[in-house]
Every structure is written in C-alpha cells, then in structure tokens.
Amino acid sequence: MAHRDRISNLPEELLLKILSSLPAKDVAVTMVLSKRWKFLWTLVPRLEYDHSMYQDDVDGSSRFSRFVHSSLLLHEAPFLESLRLKLDHYSCAADIGVWVKTAVKRSVRELDIEINSPSLSTPVLLPWSLYSEGCKRLVTLKLSHTTLVDTSSSSPASFTSLKKLSLVHMKYPSQDLF
C-alpha cells in the first residue's frame, strides 16, 4: 500500500503558518520533501536565523552568513511579516546592515535583532532606511546588544506604524569615536 502524505494535502496558507514557526535553517530543508515543497519555503513570511545553530568554517567565512544572504535573496513572500536575527560575535556588522536593508525593502512588520556578544569589533550600523519613510510597515522593533550610531542624516527618523519598541543593553557612542 502506498504511503499517503497527508500534510502536503493541507492548504498552502496552513503549511506556511506551520513553517513560520520553525527556524529558517529547518524551513529551507523542506524543499527536498516533494515537488510541492520545493519552493514553498521561499514564501514563508516569518524568518528566524540563529547563528548558534551553525559552526564557522575553518577559513573564517561563515556558512551562517552565506545561508542568510542566499535565503533572503531567494525569499519571495509578498511581504516579510517578521525577521529575527539571533547573532553572536562571528556576525559581521556589514552583513547585518545588508540583511536589515533587505528586510526594509520587503516591508518588514517586525524586526528583532539580538546580538549575544556585545563586544563586536565594529558597531552595527543599521541602514537609514530603517529609520526613514522606507519602513512604513514596521510595527515592532526589538534591538538587543547593538550600537546605535547617528548617521547624521538631514531627515528625522520616522516610524509611522511603530507600536512596540524594545531597546536592551544598547550603546550610544559619541560621534568622535568614528
């Protein structure tokens, strides 16, 4: 008797909701399950990346960083409901800026960045688009162990939809440090 795949018969909306509860690493591997699942992972509206689930390569380049870059590049959901980045001291500040900029372009509603090693050698420069009109849909912003740097932009920050802001263990360096 042939085995029937009952979960694949569920509506796509329900499958995406189930996949949204998993870390991005686990979501991406579902593409090997069947033809139906091959591209389903690219439509998941909630993405969570946890650096602790990866080990860095011997040459110093990070498999984690490459995975986040490629999966965000392939992501095709109409908008990004949530992006959670749980990072450690191997994370590159420039990468974080690119990921945030990508999320802003995807109209992210909830952005959560947690850096578990507050001793990054370079402060994390969040792109000005996060603070400006380019991020009109952002409802929740959670930052932990990051450094906010004044970008000296002529336009003021604008969070027109922001309802929840959480800043934990933040650093606010003086301009003469840069």
Side-chain angles (χ1 to χ4, degrees):
M1 182 191 295
H3 181 278
R4 293 191 55 180
D5 178 11
R6 292 183 180 164
I7 195 166
S8 289
N9 292 328
L10 294 173
E12 185 173 285
E13 183 178 311
L14 182 56
L15 291 175
L16 290 173
K17 190 169 188 134
I18 292 168
L19 290 175
S20 290
S21 67
L22 300 173
K25 182 179 181 180
D26 296 335
V27 171
V29 297
T30 62
M31 75 174 109
V32 300
L33 295 176
S34 71
K35 286 181 183 180
R36 175 150 191 233
W37 290 78
K38 187 171 184 175
F39 298 104
L40 191 61
W41 72 275
T42 65
L43 300 173
V44 174
R46 302 181 67 80
L47 299 173
E48 180 179 332
Y49 300 96
D50 186 346
H51 200 159
S52 68
M53 297 177 73
Y54 295 78
Q55 292 185 1
D56 284 350
D57 297 329
V58 176
D59 65 2
S61 64
S62 171
R63 290 185 299 136
F64 172 78
S65 182
R66 288 191 307 266
F67 174 70
V68 175
H69 277 296
S70 61
S71 64
L72 283 175
L73 182 66
L74 295 170
H75 191 258
E76 295 181 354
F79 67 92
L80 192 54
E81 181 68 34
S82 171
L83 176 63
R84 183 160 202 268
L85 299 167
K86 191 172 179 181
L87 309 170
D88 63 18
H89 66 281
Y90 293 111
S91 300
C92 174
D95 287 342
I96 298 167
V98 169
W99 301 335
V100 169
K101 193 170 189 170
T102 302
V104 168
K105 285 182 178 180
R106 302 304 304 273
S107 300
V108 66
R109 291 182 49 100
E110 179 181 331
L111 180 62
D112 184 349
I113 301 173
E114 178 183 341
I115 301 176
N116 290 324
S117 176
S119 61
L120 277 177
S121 59
T122 306
V124 175
L125 298 172
L126 299 175
W128 185 250
S129 58
L130 175 63
Y131 308 108
S132 66
E133 286 299 318
C135 201
K136 294 178 182 176
R137 291 190 54 148
L138 190 65
V139 175
T140 302
L141 177 61
K142 298 177 185 178
L143 302 174
S144 179
H145 292 102
T146 59
T147 304
L148 291 180
V149 179
D150 179 11
T151 60
S152 300
S153 174
S154 59
S155 59
S158 175
F159 293 106
T160 55
S161 299
L162 195 67
K163 295 184 191 267
K164 188 174 183 182
L165 176 64
S166 174
L167 304 174
V168 179
H169 299 287
M170 300 300 294
K171 293 182 184 179
Y172 306 92
S174 62
Q175 279 297 107
D176 58 345
L177 294 177
F178 299 97

